Amino acid sequence: MARRLERLFSRFRTPLMLLPSLLVIVLLFGGGMLVGIGQSFGYFPAIGLRDWTFDNYVNVATDQTFLRSLWLTFRIAFVSTVLSAVIAVALVMVLRYSFTGSKFTTFIFQIPLPVPHLVAASGLLLLFTQSGIFARIAATLGLIDRPADFPVLVFDRPGVSIVLTFLWKEVPFIGLVVLAILRSIGPQFEELAQTLGAGPWQRFRHVLLPLIMPGVLATSIIVFAFTFANYEIPLLLGVRSPTTLPVLAFRNYGDADLGLRPEAMAISVILAVISLILLGAYRRLTRYAMR
Amino acid sequence: MSTTQLGTGSAWLSRVVVLAIVVTVGLPLSALIVWSVAFRWNYPDVLPEQWGRQAWSYVASPSSRVFEGLRHSLVIGVLVTAMANVIGLPTARALGMHEFRGKGLVEWLLLMPIIVPAIVATMGIHIMFLRWGLTGSYFGIALVHLIPALPYFVLITASVFANYGTELEDTARTLGAGRAQVFVWVTLPAIGPGLTVASMFTFLVSWSQYVTTLLIGGGRIITLPMVLFPFLAAGDNANAAAVSLVFVAPAIVVLVLTSRRLNTDSTVMGGFGRL
């Protein structure tokens, strides 16, 4: 009997080990998603809505506020991601060498990683507002007369300070992943290319870049998905309208009018669908990177 | 030329990069420190006119609610970390050491909460938790934090298990050790350092959560980021700076403890992407 149990256990051992985590993700994450998706299609029994409908999506898609938010959210995420990736790769091309202070600099470069986004925003606020430290320096140097002369970089419509906060956080993230890849590759490919007569730019473009590209793209997708869905940074540093999709969705969700909830859900579902497409791209890239 | 050495012509380039990184990372953090001990600091003075402990006294007083937020953040963070360890450890071992059909699917499911924003799921969960009376409770909030935290715990720990062999466990079994004994005396010491990194990281994921706590906590449980936000929004610089420094402290501790691993372990690195 005991032996049969043992055999039964060993046969289902792997599924049993996976089960608890999968339950959390499937029941909590998947279940929550299903309830949310149901509401976005008008199924909301708690307030007496039971008829399935596309209306919420139609309403959302034809709403100027939504369209402007979608554009702003996309633009902030896109600009933050591309700039993070470019700056990260450029810095790492120097940081990978050992020079005086390179170890210290790499440590400093790691600091933003575990710092919460809200703290990063807090530090940048103190620097970039019109009475911030940079404005004070500009005034002391005689570059501006009044605080209002300093460019509006915080609480601004284009979201400059939002992008700056994301850059401060995400450049080290992409950079350190690329640094780890470069260290695992080693110098032999580059040396070989040099022996064959390739110049510095050719070595970067045709040897290093193809090697680091899957890692850069995979981390960029994580950064894009994160900046696309972040709530507190645009809420703190942006203007009320246009705002980003997560802020808009949450504002509608928290509205006293419960009838706005299905539309809030529709906005969130659109956000999630865009991210799911990204997830597909991420899997393809990492599989390509494995080869 | 070895690629680990910069050519002499590029020495200035390395200096520019060092300066750029140190200034960019250091300025916002220094601004926080200086503001937290500034008493009178009017525009356009570049440095405070008068220094003082006012912000820190206020942070320490109950009316700032910083201690209340700190307590809630700590309890929830520890709860999430404990739950992730219990739930995620077997999964991590299976992913790191076993080959099985559908492994790709499991990894895909684990990546979902990392890439797909939690906002839809959290709103859906909010409705269910309202019905089950889980809103406004430590457990309810911890369950929702577990969604982004568990995948990272599992992925980091799986990479630890991938470099781990069962030889010692087998030997211990042959010598008559039971399952529990093997786990406590062989497995845990071997994976201990990696597990610590994964746990600290899991704690930080919970520590940094804002919108999920706001929704599921329903305003009844105030965590540290929720204490910080109103100070920031009101432009209350000195208090915002002091609370920010309290909020960032565990992150810096974790960084100092794990920075050596960051250079060699890209999975640990990848985990930080979500904070």
Side-chain angles (χ1 to χ4, degrees):
Chain A
M1 185 65 199
R3 183 175 283 175
R4 271 186 65 185
L5 262 177
E6 183 89 359
R7 212 181 310 147
L8 202 65
F9 177 75
S10 71
R11 195 167 153 209
F12 291 105
R13 198 160 162 231
T14 307
L16 277 175
M17 289 164 83
L18 299 172
L19 194 63
S21 301
L22 292 183
L23 277 181
V24 168
I25 289 172
V26 171
L27 288 186
L28 271 178
F29 187 73
M33 290 269 283
L34 277 185
V35 173
I37 292 169
Q39 269 201 22
S40 75
F41 285 108
Y43 186 77
F44 192 3
I47 60 168
L49 295 176
R50 282 200 169 76
D51 300 320
W52 297 82
T53 167
F54 267 113
D55 287 358
N56 299 308
Y57 287 95
V58 175
N59 289 346
V60 162
T62 52
D63 180 11
Q64 278 302 312
T65 318
F66 169 80
L67 293 174
R68 274 189 311 184
S69 287
L70 177 65
W71 172 232
L72 178 74
T73 316
F74 184 80
R75 205 178 53 201
I76 288 176
F78 185 78
V79 171
S80 305
T81 308
V82 171
L83 283 181
S84 297
V86 171
I87 297 171
V89 170
L91 288 177
V92 164
M93 282 305 137
V94 177
L95 264 188
R96 68 197 175 116
Y97 297 110
S98 62
F99 50 84
T100 330
S102 63
K103 281 222 172 79
F104 170 75
T105 313
T106 308
F107 176 76
I108 299 291
F109 194 52
Q110 292 171 350
I111 290 179
L113 283 177
V115 172
H117 274 76
L118 217 44
V119 174
S122 173
L124 291 178
L125 263 178
L126 298 177
L127 296 177
F128 284 103
T129 57
Q130 287 184 314
S131 59
I133 291 171
F134 286 148
R136 290 156 190 253
I137 292 173
T140 309
L141 294 176
L143 296 173
I144 58 171
D145 293 327
R146 293 165 295 134
D149 294 339
F150 194 75
V152 184
L153 300 173
V154 185
F155 316 123
D156 55 322
R157 287 175 69 91
V160 173
S161 56
I162 302 173
V163 172
L164 286 176
T165 306
F166 286 144
L167 286 182
W168 194 82
K169 278 285 300 171
E170 320 306 351
V171 164
F173 169 55
I174 300 180
L176 288 162
V177 170
V178 174
L179 198 60
I181 297 173
L182 283 175
R183 287 199 174 133
S184 71
I185 294 170
Q188 65 271 23
F189 291 109
E190 247 181 311
E191 283 169 354
L192 183 66
Q194 196 177 17
T195 322
L196 296 173
W201 171 252
Q202 283 176 309
R203 292 203 299 271
F204 172 73
R205 174 66 192 80
H206 298 291
V207 180
L208 287 181
L209 200 59
L211 288 168
I212 60 172
M213 210 50 195
V216 173
L217 287 175
T219 45
S220 296
I221 285 172
I222 293 183
V223 166
F224 188 92
F226 186 86
T227 51
F228 200 67
N230 185 275
Y231 171 77
E232 62 264 35
I233 299 306
L235 180 70
L236 177 67
L237 301 176
V239 292
R240 201 184 141 76
S241 182
T243 185
T244 62
L245 287 185
V247 179
L248 188 68
F250 201 76
R251 193 185 289 159
N252 286 349
Y253 187 87
D255 200 279
D257 177 6
L258 288 184
L260 280 178
R261 278 202 182 179
E263 282 186 24
M265 288 298 190
I267 296 173
S268 311
V269 170
I270 293 170
L271 208 76
V273 167
I274 296 173
S275 312
L276 261 178
I277 297 169
L278 289 172
L279 179 63
Y282 176 85
R283 287 297 289 171
R284 287 190 76 124
L285 284 170
T286 45
R287 224 173 289 148
Y288 169 78
M290 295 297 167
R291 253 185 251 149
Chain B
M1 186 196 85
S2 149
T3 46
T4 51
Q5 286 294 310
L6 265 182
T8 43
S10 310
W12 65 271
L13 191 63
S14 69
R15 274 182 216 134
V16 169
V17 167
V18 169
L19 195 70
I21 289 175
V22 171
V23 167
T24 313
V25 172
L27 263 186
L29 298 175
S30 317
L32 289 174
I33 295 171
V34 173
W35 258 111
S36 78
V37 289
F39 176 50
R40 194 175 306 159
W41 193 0
N42 294 323
Y43 183 88
D45 298 338
V46 176
L47 279 175
E49 193 183 324
Q50 240 181 318
W51 306 81
R53 289 195 297 251
Q54 279 76 5
W56 287 104
S57 313
Y58 181 63
V59 160
S61 75
S63 57
S64 73
R65 302 186 79 179
V66 171
F67 271 111
E68 186 190 343
L70 193 63
R71 202 180 67 233
H72 289 153
S73 284
L74 278 174
V75 170
I76 295 167
V78 169
L79 197 59
V80 171
T81 311
M83 282 159 73
N85 268 283
V86 172
I87 296 169
L89 204 56
T91 311
R93 186 176 173 123
L95 275 181
M97 299 179 72
H98 301 181
E99 283 307 323
F100 53 89
R101 269 218 322 234
K103 195 172 181 176
L105 180 69
V106 173
E107 284 170 349
W108 192 80
L109 280 171
L110 281 169
L111 281 170
M112 279 260 283
I114 295 177
I115 307 237
V116 178
I119 194 155
V120 194
T122 312
M123 287 177 180
I125 289 168
H126 182 225
I127 294 159
M128 296 195 282
F129 278 16
L130 273 175
R131 200 172 307 156
W132 300 336
L134 279 172
T135 51
S137 73
Y138 283 142
F139 184 61
I141 295 172
L143 273 181
V144 174
H145 286 191
L146 201 56
I147 296 173
L150 183 66
Y152 279 117
F153 178 86
V154 170
L155 293 176
I156 296 174
T157 315
S159 78
V160 175
F161 274 116
N163 300 316
Y164 171 74
T166 55
E167 298 83 7
L168 276 175
E169 286 185 3
D170 296 339
T171 313
R173 296 278 296 180
T174 325
L175 295 173
R179 278 182 192 283
Q181 280 177 305
V182 170
F183 180 74
V184 172
W185 298 106
V186 181
T187 316
L188 264 190
I191 61 163
L195 198 59
T196 312
V197 171
S199 295
M200 288 194 292
F201 175 73
T202 307
F203 177 84
L204 282 185
V205 172
S206 163
W207 185 260
S208 314
Q209 290 292 310
Y210 179 77
V211 67
T212 49
T213 322
L214 193 65
L215 197 60
I216 304 297
R220 263 175 290 167
I221 293 187
I222 306 286
T223 55
L224 213 43
M226 290 158 73
V227 174
L228 171 61
F229 199 95
F231 289 121
L232 288 171
D236 185 348
N237 288 350
N239 289 327
V243 181
S244 293
L245 290 174
V246 176
F247 189 35
V248 82
I252 300 299
V253 172
V254 170
L255 181 76
V256 170
L257 294 177
T258 57
S259 83
R260 198 170 302 147
R261 274 186 80 91
L262 284 180
N263 282 323
T264 52
D265 190 339
S266 60
T267 327
V268 175
M269 259 302 312
F272 276 107
R274 183 66 189 211
L275 292 176

